[in-house]
Amino acid sequence: MRTIISKYWKITLSLLFGLAVVLFWAVPYVSTLAYQEQYQLFLLTGDYFAERLSVPGGLADYVAEFITQFNYVYVVGAILLGLVFFLLQRLTAVVFRRAGASPASYPLTFVPALLLWAYMGNESVLLSFAVSLLAALEFILHFIILREHCRRQWAMWTYLLAGIPVFYWLFGASVWVAAVGVWAVAWASRYRQAWTLLLLLPYVAAVELAIGYVLVLPVFQSLGGLNYFRYPVAAPWMQTVVMAAFALLAPACAVAGRKGWMEWLRKPLTQVGMTVMVAALGAVAVGISFDPQKYDLIEYDYLVRSHQWDRIISKAEREPATTPLSVSCVNLALGMTHQLGDRLFDFYQNGAEGLFPTFTRDMTSPVPTSEVFYHLGMVNDAERYSFEAQEAIPNHRKSGRLMRRLAQCNIINGNYAVAAKYLRLLQKSLFYRQWANDQMRFIGNDRAVETDREYGWMRNIRIKHTDYLFSDREMDQMLGLLLVDSKKYDNRLAYEYLIAYELLQKDLNRFMQYYPLGRYVTALDHIPYATQQVLVGVWLQRHPSLDGMPYSVDRQNVESTVNFIRTYMADKSDGALSSPPLSQNAWHYLLMGSSSKKGKEKMRDIY
């Protein structure tokens, strides 16, 4: 038994590590897989391959995007990501062994991969960085093998001097890991030309700067890599830490072992303790590297993309959404499940920003808002926001998700030539191909569009005014136009958003003007609860009692509103006002909510 354990404990630890990576991405952070996939569009064409290889690091980028496209099938994407980390750790272990590190240092071979895992807590770190590190480890390993089996110095120097420019062109700035790792391994093994190998470092810098000069690249992009980080303006300091760990940890452990500093690790109990400590510290590092607020927004966007409306509501019930984007996702989920009018104030509200967040010219914030516009039937605005989000992707990639939405909007609007352009691109991808092939039947076929359940509905309820000019400064008027154009098609969501907008703006005058439009929405089988509460309160402001009130309201809403008003009038600081059920009454928001109002002076047009 002891022999079996001693023989297989290393590969068992590696497999468990890979499994942990798979479960991490497939369960709590599955939304991050979707996030990475939606901001690229991998095309199965020779032109796409040539475009990637036209810049340094292009092969790493191409391989990484090929892998990332499988995030569309989230389990497959998680397995492939786990495989990448498994290979990184195993290659690190091989370099440790070939560099002369003690077998007892095996738990330390997980450290570089754990640092990379923590670094990937930054959602802008791209998988191309991990791919390039795999290549760098292979480069170091082949140098060790060449040095051990080839006595001719010219062969080794040919490998290095020719291999470094090729490596840089294919895999980018991780050539520093390769060059520093080669020197460090040679120095740790007391190779007699180790100090001569230091000349590799200025050689690497000269190669990078020369290629960067020819391609007119900024110095920081030449030295730091083009495609490791989504924002090409600078690389975070953590990138250097990870690169240093992959390059230097193995030779450092080899030197420590030669000096006898690793002997204490040989005891089985010490091995277990070291393994547990590395795992614990790695878990802490990974845990604190994933910003909860940032990934909360990513998860909300993923749930909206996958139409998991009930999960959005359950998530908000467990922990209130507080940012405009997350609140807008919750309100959309309420609207799509026909609960917005009833449960609007069961959840945290931060004004009309929670319905239509102010436009920001970046790649993330317009995406959930585009979904809101699309489901409302504001097709032109959904298209505009999707287009802006795609054009704002910092590394100039295209988005499969956004391009799909752009194709849909153009099909609905009858812009078939534009829609066909998007569909032809999607046909060259792996996971959007089947969908794009199916959508081609709508091109030039008005009848097919009008009889389709989704497109026909959207075409009928969309705003059709030719002189229509969108302005998020007056969203109630935009919603009013939408209701007028879709009156006979019963756009319940638009009505609920219009009423919610006026309530969240605390504009009771316009609310009283618009709420009667609900009689034309046949899908409504009752006056929404939030509306009932406001109507009861408004009536009591103008009349001494509820006698003669013409509204059909539930007794529960009457009692809730009367209790709130009575408590509020008696003591505005009463703690009961801030606790359910009184805090969930519409008048709690109207009288005690934030006084900030999304007025015209705080909003701006897209164009």
Side-chain angles (χ1 to χ4, degrees), residues 414-443:
N415 300 323
Y416 297 124
V418 179
K421 180 187 71 173
Y422 292 126
L423 292 176
R424 281 193 289 269
L425 276 173
L426 293 173
Q427 284 178 320
K428 298 173 183 177
S429 67
L430 180 60
F431 292 105
Y432 295 95
R433 176 188 298 170
Q434 183 176 350
W435 180 87
N437 289 337
D438 178 69
Q439 298 298 299
M440 290 299 289
R441 64 190 171 92
F442 294 112
I443 302 303

Side-chain angles (χ1 to χ4, degrees), residues 368-397:
T369 312
S370 173
E371 293 284 347
V372 173
F373 287 136
Y374 184 79
H375 290 290
L376 280 169
M378 303 176 72
V379 179
N380 291 338
D381 309 309
E383 179 185 357
R384 186 181 298 114
Y385 272 60
S386 295
F387 181 83
E388 290 289 345
Q390 178 166 261
E391 293 304 303
I393 298 175
N395 58 352
H396 310 296
R397 299 300 188 258

Side-chain angles (χ1 to χ4, degrees), residues 185-205:
V185 166
W187 173 74
S189 59
R190 296 177 175 176
Y191 182 56
R192 58 189 178 86
Q193 292 198 24
W195 294 108
T196 306
L197 288 173
L198 274 176
L199 295 174
L200 289 176
L201 304 186
Y203 177 63
V204 169

